[in-house]
Structures are given as structure tokens and as C-alpha cells.
Amino acid sequence: MFANSPAPSQPRRSRVRAAAVTVALAVTGVLAGTVPAAQATPHGTTSQCGGRGVDGDAVIRYESDVVIKAPLSRIWKLQTDVERWPSWQPPVTTAERLDHGRLKPGSRFHWTTPAPATPTTPATTLSITSTVQELRRNDCVLWSGPAIGEGLRIDEGVHLWTFRKIKGGVHVHTEETWTGAQVEADVPTATAALGAGLEAWLHDLKAAAETPTT
């Protein structure tokens, strides 16, 4: 997921592979202030949903966390009511369900998001078709699918979210991997773009969930 949203107001733990420490200047200009200071993380992950997680062999990966001071039920509804994503996260320009009913394993949805230009790819709009692989209500969700735009292709993105009640709020963890020859040709740039998108998503989810409702 790509984004140009502002930086979160509070610092977060985030871990990104050491390969992503150096980011091309053109991407830095687009993403400045969006991705927090990166730290190396071991290859692989332990977070899972229903026994499944992101792609353990992927070289493009990013993970981050935030604490949201809002009821878990509200956070979960915001995250799983896919068609309402554009109402609270500006980087999602369109979103539609390809089936009906509550989101569940096997559910599919189509959404679009802009991707800024990089030294190797043009600015474009990514068209993403995601399929829910695992879902545990109020606990976790895992989806995957390709993202395709003019001049840019991600063969498969695998995106995991977990939600845990803690004192004073909910700990939200997210991580995602990308695979595909085009993005793997420039791992630092692709990882920076992925990180910017996930940080923006966490920022927007926190803002939406913590905004008082009338």
C-alpha cells in the first residue's frame, strides 16, 4: 500500500529489513516524514492468524504497531467494513466488496490507491483485488492478492492485522510482504513505499477510531 498521509503524532515501534535503510532520493521526497526511523528485523515472523501469516520467504516486508484508545468493536468495524475505507483513509480512493455479508475467509474485495513515482516506476493508481485468507472476529485478519497499475505490478501482497486488548486501549499490529520481479528489483524503494503505506493506515485507523461519534 502506498500513501502520502502525514506522519503519526506519536512514535511507534516499527521494524524493517536492513536492506531498506537506504532509500532512493526520489522516494524520500515523496515519503518524507511518513516512515519513522527503521530498525533491522530478523527474517521471518511469528505473528499469525489462524495459523497463517505473511510470506516468510519474501524479501520485501514491513511491520509496525500502534495503541488505539478506543473500543475493540469500533476498531474492528472500521477495519472490516471495507466499502467505508475511503471515508476515513484518504489513500484509498475506491473500495467495493465482490460478495455479500460479513467479511469472512474467502471474501473478496477490490480497491484502488495511488502509487507515487519512484526512480524505476511511474506514478500510477494500483488496482488491488484482495482475498481474505483467515479471519478471527475481533482478533485478526489476513488477506492477500495482486496489485496492478500502469507500469507497476506487485504479484502478491500478503497483509496481516492482529488486535489485542490492553490496559487503556487496543494494541494493533500489522505486517505485510510483497513479492514480484519488478518490486524485488529495488528492495529498498519498495520497502520504503510499503512502510509508508502501513504507517499511514495505522495513523488513519487510530484517528478514525479515537474521534468521538455523535
Side-chain angles (χ1 to χ4, degrees):
M1 165 114 178
F2 292 79
N4 298 320
S5 295
S9 59
Q10 298 180 355
R12 298 192 185 92
R13 280 188 314 111
S14 57
R15 302 166 297 278
V16 61
R17 286 178 60 82
V21 173
T22 302
V23 180
L25 289 177
V27 175
T28 304
V30 174
L31 306 180
T34 305
V35 183
Q39 297 179 350
T41 186
H43 189 62
T45 181
T46 57
S47 298
Q48 293 185 336
C49 183
R52 301 176 65 177
V54 296
D55 188 339
D57 295 324
V59 295
I60 300 167
R61 60 178 58 240
Y62 189 91
E63 58 181 303
S64 191
D65 305 80
V66 70
V67 173
I68 300 178
K69 297 177 181 179
L72 175 56
S73 59
R74 175 168 170 74
I75 299 168
W76 180 259
K77 180 173 176 58
L78 284 167
Q79 187 72 324
T80 58
D81 190 355
V82 171
E83 292 184 312
R84 291 186 59 82
W85 282 358
S87 71
W88 58 267
Q89 50 173 328
V92 177
T93 49
T94 67
E96 63 175 329
R97 287 285 304 276
L98 301 180
D99 44 38
H100 302 287
R102 182 177 291 174
L103 204 68
K104 60 185 181 299
S107 293
R108 298 173 67 245
F109 52 95
H110 177 262
W111 51 297
T112 57
T113 187
T118 76
T120 55
T121 59
T124 188
T125 295
L126 285 173
S127 176
I128 307 165
T129 300
S130 298
T131 301
V132 176
Q133 303 297 336
E134 296 288 345
L135 183 147
R136 303 295 172 92
R137 184 169 174 78
N138 292 328
D139 180 55
C140 62
V141 60
L142 175 75
W143 62 68
S144 64
I148 302 170
E150 185 175 353
L152 176 61
R153 178 185 178 92
I154 301 165
D155 290 351
E156 185 174 51
V158 185
H159 199 172
L160 173 70
W161 291 85
T162 63
F163 307 83
R164 299 287 184 273
K165 285 185 178 181
I166 61 172
K167 184 177 180 180
V170 176
H171 176 266
V172 180
H173 174 79
T174 187
E175 54 189 84
E176 185 171 358
T177 54
W178 286 352
T179 54
Q182 187 177 23
V183 288
E184 289 169 9
D186 188 348
V187 172
T189 297
T191 305
L194 172 59
L198 294 189
E199 293 296 340
W201 196 323
L202 285 173
H203 173 264
D204 290 341
L205 179 62
K206 178 178 175 68
E210 293 183 350
T211 298
T213 58
T214 57

